C-alpha cells in the first residue's frame, strides 16, 4: 500500500521536473518562505519557561532544607487579592512548604507539622504571610485558625501585612535585580492542548527505528527523541551519519513526508553498548536512561547543548509534564497498567515518547515505539505515569541532511526548516566491462551499477563519453 503511494508521488514530481528543468528550483522560492514562517511560529514559545523553573526551584529548595522528603502535591495558593502568588507543597509523610512564585523562594516550611490548609483541599486557599491562613467559603473569606469570617477591620490588617510583604520583597528583588516580573502571569498561560512543532515526525515514524527486544523500549524512545532533534529540531549531525536511515522525500511540504528519517539498528546497538558499559540491562529506568544519554552526548555529540530532567512522579504529573512539553521538551514516559482505549486488557510496563498533551494533561500524545503495534499517534489517558525523562536540545540551528530528493545527476537535501542544498554528483567510475561501467559519487556515495556505456566517436574507435572506456572496432562494423 505504501509502495503505491510513493510511486504515485514519484511520477508526479518527475512530471513537474520535466516542465521546469531548472536545477536550482527544486524547492520554489514561495515554499521556502512558507516553511520559514511555520518554523518561526512554532519556535516562538519562550513565554512559559517559568512553571518549570518553579518546579525545579522547589525541588532544589526541598532537597537543601529537608534532604530526602518526597513531594506529594503542589497546589495553588493565592494572595489577599486572589492572585496566584504561592505554591503549597506537601510531602509524602508529613510537613509542608509555602513557596513564593515572585521571590522564587520559600516563605515558611515545617518538616513535621501538617499543612495549615489540610482540611481545605477543595477550597481556594489564601496566604497572607506566616500565621495568616485563610480560605474562601462560598465567596466569603474565612480565617482557618478560628473558622470565623474575616471582618472588615481584619481584612484591613491583612491588607497592611500584604503591603509589607510586597515592600520587603521589592527591596530584596531590587538588590538581586531578578527579572521574574512576568513569571506569575505565565503560570496559567498553558494552552489546554499542545503538540510539539513538527509533531508529524513522530506520527510518520513507522519504519526507521529499531525493534524492541528484551524490553529495550527505553533505548528506542531515546533514539526516537534524538532523531526528532536531529531531523526537525535543527540539530543536524546530532546522530552520526552512519547511524541514520535517510529518507527520500517527494514533497516540499515536510508534513507530507510519509516516513521520517530515523536511526538504524546499529544505533540501537550503540546505545545498548553504552548502557552495558554503565552496567545497565536492556530494560532501564528513566534515571538510567538519563545517564545513558549523558554518556551518549559525551561520546558522540559533545558540541551539542541540551537540557534534560528526570524524576519519579507522584501526585503532580499534570503540573509538570504539560509545561515541559509546551517548552518543547520531548518527554519519555515510564508508564504501567491498563489503558483499554489503547491496548484493551493488556497490563503493560513500557517507555513511550510523549510529544503532546490534551485537556491540560488529561491525556498525552505518544509514540509507542513498538513496530508491530504501529501506534505512532495515540493519546494515553489511563496508564499510570511512573517516571519521566525530558530532553531538549538547544544548540544553534544546523540543517539536517537526512531528507533528500534524487534526480539522475543531482541530489537535493531538504531541512524541514525550509532550507535546502544540492550538488551535482561527482562520479567515480569502476567495474569497466566491454558494455558497462559502475559509478559512485565521491561526495554522497550515490551508486549506479552496471550502467551501459554511452559510446561516441566519429571513426571506428568508440569511447564512452562518461568513463572514457574505449572499445576496438567489432568485426563487420
Ligand atoms: Zn534547517
Ligand atoms: Zn552525489
Ligand atoms: Zn562508460
Amino acid at each position: 500500500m505504501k509502495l503505491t503511494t510513493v510511486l504515485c508521488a514519484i511520477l508526479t514530481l518527475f512530471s513537474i521536473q520535466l516542465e521546469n528543468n531548472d536545477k536550482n528550483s527544486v524547492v520554489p522560492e514561495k515554499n521556502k518562505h512558507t516553511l520559514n514562517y511555520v518554523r518561526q511560529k512554532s519556535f516562538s514559545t519562550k513565554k512559559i519557561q517559568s512553571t518549570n523553573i518553579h518546579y525545579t526551584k522547589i525541588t532544589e529548595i526541598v532537597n537543601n532544607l529537608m534532604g530526602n522528603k518526597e513531594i506529594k502535591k503542589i497546589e495553588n495558593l493565592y494572595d489577599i487579592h486572589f492572585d496566584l502568588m504561592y505554591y503549597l507543597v506537601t510531602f509524602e509523610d508529613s510537613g509542608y512548604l509555602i513557596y513564593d512564585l515572585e521571590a522564587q523562594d520559600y516563605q515558611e516550611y515545617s518538616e513535621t507539622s501538617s499543612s495549615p490548609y489540610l482540611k481545605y483541599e477543595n477550597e481556594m486557599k489564601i496566604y497572607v504571610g506566616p500565621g495568616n491562613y485563610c480560605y474562601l467559603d462560598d465567596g466569603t473569606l474565612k480565617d482557618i485558625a478560628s473558622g470565623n469570617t474575616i471582618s472588615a477591620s481584619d481584612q484591613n490588617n491583612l491588607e497592611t501585612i500584604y503591603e509589607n510583604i510586597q515592600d520587603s520583597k521589592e527591596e530584596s528583588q531590587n538588590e538581586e535585580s531578578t527579572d521574574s516580573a512576568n513569571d506569575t502571569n505565565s503560570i496559567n498561560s498553558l494552552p489546554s492542548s499542545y503538540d510539539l512543532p513538527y509533531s508529524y515526525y513522530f506520527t510518520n515514524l513507522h519504519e526507521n527505528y529499531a525493534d524492541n527486544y528484551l524490553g529495550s523500549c527505553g533505548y528506542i524512545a531515546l533514539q526516537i527523541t534524538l532523531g526528532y532533534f536531529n531531523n526537525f529540531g535543527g540539530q543536524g549531525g546530532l546522530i552520526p551519519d552512519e547511524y541514520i536511515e535517510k529518507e527520500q522525500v517527494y514533497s516540499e511540504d515536510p508534513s507530507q513526508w510519509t516516513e521520517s528519517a530515523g536511526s538504524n539498528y546499529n544505533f540501537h546497538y550503540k546505545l545498548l553498548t553504552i548502557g552495558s558499559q554503565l552496567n545497565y540491562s536492556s530494560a532501564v529506568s528513566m534515571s538510567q536512561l538519563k545517564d545513558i544519554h549523558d554518556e551518549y552526548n559525551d561520546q558522540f555529540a559533545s558540541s551539542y547543548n541540551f537540557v534534560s530532567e528526570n524524576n519519579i512522579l507522584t501526585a503532580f504529573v499534570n503540573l509538570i509534564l504539560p509545561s515541559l512539553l509546551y517548552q518543547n521538551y520531548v518527554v519519555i514516559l515510564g508508564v504501567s497498567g491498563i489503558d483499554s482505549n489503547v491496548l484493551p486488557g493488556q497490563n503493560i510496563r513500557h517507555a513511550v515518547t510523549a510529544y503532546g498533551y490534551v485537556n491540560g494533561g488529561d491525556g498525552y500524545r505518544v509514540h509507542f515505539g513498538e513496530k508491530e503495534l504501529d501506534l505512532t499517534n495515540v493519546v494515553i489517558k489511563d496508564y499510570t505515569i511512573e517516571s519521566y525523562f525530558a530532553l531538549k536540545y538547544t544548540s544553534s540551528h544546523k540543517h539536517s541532511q537526512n531528507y533528500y530528493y534524487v534526480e539522475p545527476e543531482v541530489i537535493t537535501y531538504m531541512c524541514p526548516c525550509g532550507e535546502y542544498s544540492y550538488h551535482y554528483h561527482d562520479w567515480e567510475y569502476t567495474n569497466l566491462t566491454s558494455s558497462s561501467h559502475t559509478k559512485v559519487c565521491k561526495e554522497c556515495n550515490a551508486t549506479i551499477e552496471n550502467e551501459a556505456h554511452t559510446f561516441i566517436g566519429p571513426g571506428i574507435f568508440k569511447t564512452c563519453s562518461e568513463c572514457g572506456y574505449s572499445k576496438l572496432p567489432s568485426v563487420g562494423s
Side-chain angles (χ1 to χ4, degrees), residues 220-268:
I220 288 180
L222 181 57
Q223 290 166 40
I224 290 173
T225 302
L226 291 171
Y228 171 74
F229 289 110
N230 189 333
N231 293 317
F232 286 88
Q235 309 290 313
L238 175 61
I239 300 174
D241 225 33
E242 62 196 286
Y243 300 121
I244 289 285
E245 293 291 340
K246 301 196 172 202
E247 195 63 32
Q248 183 161 193
V249 294
Y250 303 101
S251 165
E252 292 145 9
D253 177 358
S255 68
Q256 288 169 19
W257 296 355
T258 54
E259 180 62 59
S260 293
S263 56
N264 61 28
Y265 203 84
N266 286 336
F267 190 60
H268 187 56

Side-chain angles (χ1 to χ4, degrees), residues 73-75 77 87-90 96-98 115 117 125:
K73 208 191 244 182
I74 299 180
E75 294 167 88
L77 192 57
Y87 281 150
L88 171 65
V89 183
T90 46
Y96 73 96
L97 179 143
I98 290 172
S115 150
Y117 300 95
K125 296 178 256 304

Side-chain angles (χ1 to χ4, degrees), residues 36 39 231 234-235 397-400 414-420:
N36 280 324
R39 176 181 151 221
N231 293 317
Q235 309 290 313
H397 192 98
K398 293 186 193 80
H399 300 302
S400 162
M414 301 180 187
C415 179
C417 76
E419 290 296 321
Y420 65 96

Side-chain angles (χ1 to χ4, degrees), residues 411 413 423-427 441-446:
I411 183 163
Y413 300 101
H423 70 260
Y424 287 84
H425 294 305
D426 183 5
W427 297 119
C441 174
K442 290 180 213 162
E443 201 163 333
C444 71
N445 284 324

Side-chain angles (χ1 to χ4, degrees), residues 17-260:
Q17 286 303 316
L18 285 173
E19 284 167 33
N20 177 5
N21 207 17
D22 180 0
K23 302 290 191 200
N24 297 342
S25 64
V26 175
V27 179
E29 205 56 25
K30 71 176 166 62
N31 286 7
K32 275 179 72 184
H33 285 290
T34 313
L35 289 169
N36 280 324
Y37 171 68
V38 169
R39 176 181 151 221
Q40 280 165 17
K41 223 175 89 184
S42 313
F43 281 90
S44 61
T45 50
K46 234 182 134 191
K47 208 178 153 196
I48 50 75
Q49 281 189 348
S50 50
T51 305
N52 190 251
I53 285 169
H54 293 309
Y55 162 66
T56 312
K57 198 83 199 178
I58 288 170
T59 313
E60 202 180 294
I61 291 168
V62 169
N63 284 342
N64 285 343
L65 291 174
M66 292 172 268
N68 54 0
K69 281 274 189 208
E70 208 182 330
I71 295 171
K72 182 183 177 188
K73 208 191 244 182
I74 299 180
E75 294 167 88
N76 292 343
L77 192 57
Y78 299 84
D79 67 19
I80 189 82
H81 298 140
F82 308 124
D83 287 327
L84 180 60
M85 186 62 79
Y86 308 98
Y87 281 150
L88 171 65
V89 183
T90 46
F91 304 111
E92 224 27 271
D93 43 2
S94 60
Y96 73 96
L97 179 143
I98 290 172
Y99 172 83
D100 187 312
L101 295 166
E102 224 169 47
Q104 296 191 18
D105 207 345
Y106 67 91
Q107 285 293 329
E108 61 177 89
Y109 76 97
S110 166
E111 276 187 75
T112 49
S113 308
S114 319
S115 150
Y117 300 95
L118 188 64
K119 290 191 222 150
Y120 303 93
E121 184 103 23
N122 300 313
E123 280 83 2
M124 187 175 188
K125 296 178 256 304
I126 288 109
Y127 179 68
V128 200
N132 300 310
Y133 316 112
C134 310
Y135 71 100
L136 209 57
D137 181 18
D138 216 350
T140 309
L141 194 62
K142 290 192 170 170
D143 176 32
I144 283 181
S146 65
N148 294 336
T149 303
I150 307 260
S151 67
S153 67
D154 285 341
Q155 207 154 344
N156 278 339
N157 291 339
L158 289 176
E159 187 69 41
T160 311
I161 296 170
Y162 170 81
E163 302 290 357
N164 290 340
I165 293 173
Q166 288 307 106
D167 287 352
S168 66
K169 273 204 299 203
E170 254 166 50
E171 270 173 41
S172 68
Q173 278 196 350
N174 286 342
E175 281 166 25
E176 294 168 37
S177 79
T178 58
D179 57 354
S180 58
N182 293 322
D183 283 358
T184 45
N185 297 333
S186 51
I187 294 293
N188 293 318
S189 68
L190 294 185
S192 86
S193 293
Y194 181 75
D195 287 330
L196 292 183
Y198 306 108
S199 61
Y200 41 76
Y201 159 80
F202 299 97
T203 309
N204 294 347
L205 184 63
H206 300 285
E207 289 298 329
N208 293 323
Y209 63 99
D211 288 305
N212 179 8
Y213 79 112
L214 297 173
S216 56
C217 49
Y219 290 90
I220 288 180
L222 181 57
Q223 290 166 40
I224 290 173
T225 302
L226 291 171
Y228 171 74
F229 289 110
N230 189 333
N231 293 317
F232 286 88
Q235 309 290 313
L238 175 61
I239 300 174
D241 225 33
E242 62 196 286
Y243 300 121
I244 289 285
E245 293 291 340
K246 301 196 172 202
E247 195 63 32
Q248 183 161 193
V249 294
Y250 303 101
S251 165
E252 292 145 9
D253 177 358
S255 68
Q256 288 169 19
W257 296 355
T258 54
E259 180 62 59
S260 293

